[in-house]
Amino acid sequence: MAHLTALDDAAWQGPWRAVRVGEKVVLSVGLLVTALVSPPWPGCVLVAIACVALTCGPARIPPRTLAIAMAPALTFLVIGGVTVAVVLGGTPTPNAFFAWGPLWADPATVSKGVTAFSRGVSGTLSVMLLATTTPMVDLLTWLRSLGMPSPLVDIASLTYRLLFVLLSSALAIHAAQTARLGRISVATAASATGSLLIRSWAHAARLQAGLEGRGYTGDLPTLPRARSASPAFLATALAVVGAVWAANLAVILT
Amino acid sequence: MHIAEGFLPLTHCVVWGLASAPFVVHGARSVITQAKENPESKLLLAAAGAFTFMMSAIKLPSVTGSSSHPTGTGAGAILFKPPVMAFMGTVVLVFQALLLAHGGLTTLGANVFSMAIAGPWAGYAVWVALRGARAPMEVSVFFAMATANLVTYVVTSLQLALAYPDPDLLGAFGKFATVFALTQVPLAIMEGIVGVLLFRFLAKVVPPELARRGIIAAPVKDAAHA
């Protein structure tokens, strides 16, 4: 289950941690929206290339980390693209590629499947650009600075911190069951799940007691890390997104 | 049952986001009220959120840029009520999109509507109806958790059918629901069974917590000896 923390670990160690969160959000969301409204060629392909190049280039995220993160998403997207491309029921069009019983596909439906797949891949890579360069703690601090109510940010921060505690608890429960040569059954799975829930409550109660001992008043602010604005980063981000839009327009006009 | 990033057209992303927003805002308000009245509830809610994340991180590939997994939101709705789950479900879905590349930010509204709103409310309605009819806790938990899971999958199928209505909406819904059913129906039944064993376990180990939430009757205390 260590892969659950792979993206966040990469974000903590990468050089783009020093870049302002807002600037990274502009780049990632700009590419994401571009992917969502672009045709597969050139828009989605260029967004995907830009994301991989930026993630594995200047952001120095190991390609293996990106590949591990993308593998499950790619599986879903391939299956999804095929499901959109193949129609169930209705009357096959005269130019259908095949018609097997109620299943058929023609150029229009295949085009829809390819579009959905390419938007999915480029969109996921756009989000990965943000996820692999920005730890969740930085994102939550940024949301607090934007005016998100403190209790909500506190709960989200605590949830994030408890994830790692629960992950280690789950691994400990699994190791203990393995050491006892325990059989996997529905009953043992339910007991393990119940143990995990009770452990999470116990951790929360102990955290509460610790906070009260330190004079907890209901707020859990953390000191934000000071980061200077980078006009060069912002200009590059806008240039990358603008270049993809220019390529899209060029293809449409020709 | 998260729809992957980029899989829905932009207009669908906006419409599902707008549809989910009132529920999430209502949930956030009730969370803020609870946190102000009772600061330690923040920690319990965070624990519930982390638990839901762990449950729904177990995923199987399914149709149309989506995935199948236990939702855990049925248990959350019984323990913490649906409005709270609308907010906590949103937090969990954002974490899954950013930490696991599971789901997405543009499809967040659609995923929140199916997994954090429709599923928990349906499961909770079944729970209340069955408890009102004096059904045993185990029966109520099974049907509530299985219903929460199945309704989530039905709503996801509808969302996908609306996005890709080939050859028509009904046909597309039938296609997505049928292929989804291969993984999701067994998972819903399994989640119901695991839920029964989970609540039995909780009733045995932490009965005061369940009694405080009105899930079981308060344990009778033995009379003190003089």
Side-chain angles (χ1 to χ4, degrees), chain B residues 43-98:
Chain B
L43 293 145
L44 270 181
L45 285 169
F51 179 73
T52 308
F53 178 95
M54 296 296 289
M55 282 282 283
S56 53
I58 305 161
K59 54 187 186 282
L60 304 168
S62 192
V63 294
T64 307
S66 188
S67 58
S68 292
H69 54 81
T71 61
T73 54
I78 294 171
L79 287 167
F80 297 102
K81 307 285 182 287
V84 170
M85 285 314 291
F87 173 72
M88 290 312 301
T90 306
V91 171
V92 167
L93 285 164
V94 170
F95 283 179
Q96 287 182 340
L98 292 174

Side-chain angles (χ1 to χ4, degrees), chain A residues 36-83:
Chain A
L36 209 59
V37 296
S38 292
W41 173 258
C44 291
V45 172
L46 289 178
V47 167
I49 291 171
C51 289
V52 173
L54 290 168
T55 307
C56 300
R60 286 191 227 146
I61 302 301
R64 184 178 152 74
T65 303
L66 186 62
I68 290 171
M70 285 298 293
L74 274 175
T75 310
F76 304 147
L77 290 167
V78 167
I79 297 171
V82 171
T83 316

Side-chain angles (χ1 to χ4, degrees), chain B residues 143-164:
Chain B
F143 283 105
M145 289 188 65
T147 303
N149 190 311
L150 284 173
V151 167
T152 303
Y153 124 74
V154 169
V155 173
T156 305
S157 300
L158 183 64
Q159 289 169 332
L160 292 168
L162 285 166
Y164 300 101

Side-chain angles (χ1 to χ4, degrees), chain A residues 155 158-159 162 200-201 203-209 211 216 220, chain B residues 38-49:
Chain A
I155 288 170
L158 287 166
T159 304
L162 280 169
S200 68
W201 277 344
H203 279 300
R206 287 211 299 276
L207 189 56
Q208 171 70 21
L211 286 170
Y216 175 53
L220 294 168
Chain B
N38 193 5
E40 72 264 21
S41 68
K42 277 186 192 175
L43 293 145
L44 270 181
L45 285 169

Side-chain angles (χ1 to χ4, degrees), chain A residues 131-158:
Chain A
T132 54
T133 56
T134 314
M136 190 60 69
V137 171
D138 290 358
L139 274 173
L140 293 170
T141 308
W142 179 69
L143 286 174
R144 194 192 292 272
S145 72
L146 289 183
M148 191 169 172
S150 278
L152 302 182
V153 178
D154 286 347
I155 288 170
S157 303
L158 287 166

Side-chain angles (χ1 to χ4, degrees), chain A residues 185-212:
Chain A
S185 66
V186 175
T188 54
S191 298
T193 308
S195 299
L196 196 60
L197 181 60
I198 290 169
R199 273 175 178 240
S200 68
W201 277 344
H203 279 300
R206 287 211 299 276
L207 189 56
Q208 171 70 21
L211 286 170
E212 281 172 357

